[in-house]
Amino acid sequence: MKQISMQTIADALDISKNSVSQALRNENGVSEETKLLVREKAEELGYRYIKQNRKEKGRFLILATDFAFSQVSFFDKIIRSIEYNLSSEKYLTERVIVTEDMIDNKILPNELLKCDGLFVISHITNDYISLLTQQGIPCIIVDHHNQAFLADCILTNNTYGANEAVKYLISHNNKNIGFIGDINFSPSYYERYRGYIQTLEDFKLPAKPEYQITEIEENQAILFSKLKKIKTMPDAWFCVNSGLAYILNYYLQSEGYNVPKDVNIICFDNTEFTQISNPKLTNVSTNLEFMGKQAALSMLERLKNPNSPFIIKQIMPSLVILGSV
């Protein structure tokens, strides 16, 4: 097998070997876009960059459920960004799966005894995350929050994103707009629902209960069953994530609807589902690499100022216009 080197990456991206080296070392000589391209190509080719003669400053744990770790096109991008930005500052990171048994029995990871800080990725349970934040270890919570948490949080501005999505649907002459998402699953989903309702109210449009599916698993059979009960489809649907939107699009087309001619769809999160869907799904996208970088920077700031007030950073998402509206 051919050995993968910096030159291999440079040739694949048609850039200089020096640019590859600067990107892998997170130096200022290249743009953030180039750094991201180099990291992605290095990962794709199986290249592992190891700094020589370096002494690690400390070690952080990245905690999440097995489900969150499996979300390659979403949470994994955030996690890789955290790892990359901390590695550039000479910190080690380790991924730790939080199991159902650990959650049910309030069992803390053994690795907690030898770490300098924690990153908690997405929703586990509020009680378990609260337990983690009470251990006297710096903790950054990513893509989840609760007023009881004694920790800094890095979030998407979900209400703003939902507002932009619904306004975009309204601008395309959609008057009856439905909602799909389990609002009890996480604060993020509830905030997206709240943004949906508020925007309809602002435009004096009806928020019809028959077009609101607010308790739903991300399961094709279950969503199909709920959709079949709707006698007349709304003009458009707003979904809390791309997985539900993908299933919705499949259902509509199987029932003879044309998307976007007959029904428009817009969703949160620009993942593989928005890309493999036909048509591709217009979505509200958060810069996940930037979210991971902010999480890493927040941890480093917390280490410098351990007694400063806890903060919540909200990242403004943006619309990605594709083919479903």
Side-chain angles (χ1 to χ4, degrees):
M1 180 181 292
K2 183 180 178 181
Q3 183 177 359
I4 304 301
S5 65
M6 288 190 190
Q7 190 61 56
T8 309
I9 300 170
D11 293 341
L13 295 174
D14 195 24
I15 60 176
S16 70
K17 180 180 176 181
N18 185 56
S19 294
V20 172
S21 177
Q22 288 177 310
L24 291 173
R25 287 181 289 165
N26 199 26
E27 294 182 345
N28 294 326
V30 293
S31 68
E32 290 297 321
E33 180 182 5
T34 299
K35 290 178 184 178
L36 176 59
L37 288 172
V38 169
R39 280 154 39 202
E40 289 180 342
K41 182 58 67 174
E43 182 69 25
E44 176 188 329
L45 296 174
Y47 179 81
R48 293 293 180 271
Y49 175 60
I50 302 174
K51 291 186 178 181
Q52 301 298 322
N53 301 319
R54 60 184 277 171
K55 184 178 180 180
E56 304 297 346
K57 293 180 180 178
R59 174 171 169 267
F60 299 114
L61 301 182
I62 300 176
L63 273 59
T65 63
D66 191 47
F67 172 78
F69 278 129
S70 73
Q71 302 303 295
V72 176
S73 63
F74 192 83
F75 292 120
D76 192 61
K77 289 186 177 181
I78 298 172
I79 293 167
R80 289 184 184 278
S81 178
I82 293 172
E83 293 170 334
Y84 173 75
N85 283 283
L86 290 175
S87 174
S88 299
E89 296 295 327
K90 298 185 179 181
Y91 287 94
L92 289 171
T93 55
E94 180 181 353
R95 301 187 186 194
V96 177
I97 295 174
V98 178
T99 66
E100 289 187 13
D101 180 61
M102 292 168 68
I103 296 168
D104 293 341
N105 295 293
K106 304 288 179 63
I107 300 172
L108 295 171
N110 292 328
E111 296 87 346
L112 218 62
L113 299 173
K114 297 180 180 180
C115 77
D116 300 288
L118 305 173
F119 293 89
V120 179
I121 309 300
S122 188
H123 181 66
I124 300 178
T125 68
N126 288 340
D127 287 345
Y128 192 81
I129 295 176
S130 291
L131 181 63
L132 290 170
T133 65
Q134 293 164 12
Q135 301 308 306
I137 302 171
C139 184
I140 308 295
I141 301 171
V142 183
D143 200 45
H144 185 61
H145 67 100
N146 184 278
Q147 62 184 8
F149 296 160
L150 301 175
D152 301 312
C153 300
I154 312 297
L155 309 168
T156 296
N157 191 318
N158 293 290
T159 304
Y160 169 83
N163 177 267
E164 290 297 295
V166 177
K167 283 198 301 184
Y168 188 72
L169 289 173
I170 293 171
S171 73
H172 283 70
N173 300 314
N174 294 294
K175 306 299 182 184
N176 290 306
I177 300 172
F179 174 93
I180 301 178
D182 190 343
I183 62 175
N184 297 312
F185 178 76
S186 74
S188 295
Y189 288 0
Y190 178 73
E191 288 163 5
R192 294 169 191 182
Y193 175 71
R194 189 173 63 191
Y196 154 82
I197 292 292
Q198 184 60 57
T199 308
L200 292 181
E201 291 177 352
D202 290 345
F203 283 84
K204 296 180 171 54
L205 293 175
K208 297 181 178 179
E210 61 267 32
Y211 294 150
Q212 297 178 36
I213 301 176
T214 57
E215 294 182 15
I216 182 67
E217 295 179 37
E218 197 169 320
N219 176 284
Q220 178 173 303
I222 294 173
L223 182 54
F224 272 33
S225 175
K226 288 183 177 290
L227 291 169
K228 284 183 179 297
K229 296 176 182 178
I230 299 174
K231 295 180 180 179
T232 304
M233 279 290 146
D235 303 322
W237 287 98
F238 169 54
C239 300
V240 295
N241 66 33
S242 57
L244 288 168
Y246 179 83
I247 298 171
L248 169 66
N249 181 57
Y250 181 72
Y251 172 82
L252 290 173
Q253 297 198 37
S254 70
E255 292 293 311
Y257 293 94
N258 179 288
V259 177
K261 183 178 179 181
D262 300 325
V263 182
N264 287 182
I265 301 173
I266 195 166
C267 64
F268 246 87
D269 305 333
N270 190 14
T271 70
E272 76 275 14
F273 290 115
T274 63
Q275 300 301 318
I276 66 175
S277 183
N278 186 22
K280 293 182 180 181
L281 301 172
T282 294
N283 62 82
V284 181
S285 177
T286 302
N287 186 323
L288 302 177
E289 287 80 12
F290 182 76
M291 179 177 271
K293 182 176 182 178
Q294 291 304 306
L297 291 175
S298 294
M299 177 61 79
L300 297 179
E301 182 63 28
R302 176 57 56 190
L303 292 180
K304 291 178 184 176
N305 301 287
N307 298 317
S308 61
F310 295 116
I311 64 170
I312 294 177
K313 293 183 180 179
Q314 291 192 322
I315 297 171
M316 305 297 277
S318 57
L319 284 176
V320 176
I321 310 302
L322 296 175
S324 62
V325 179

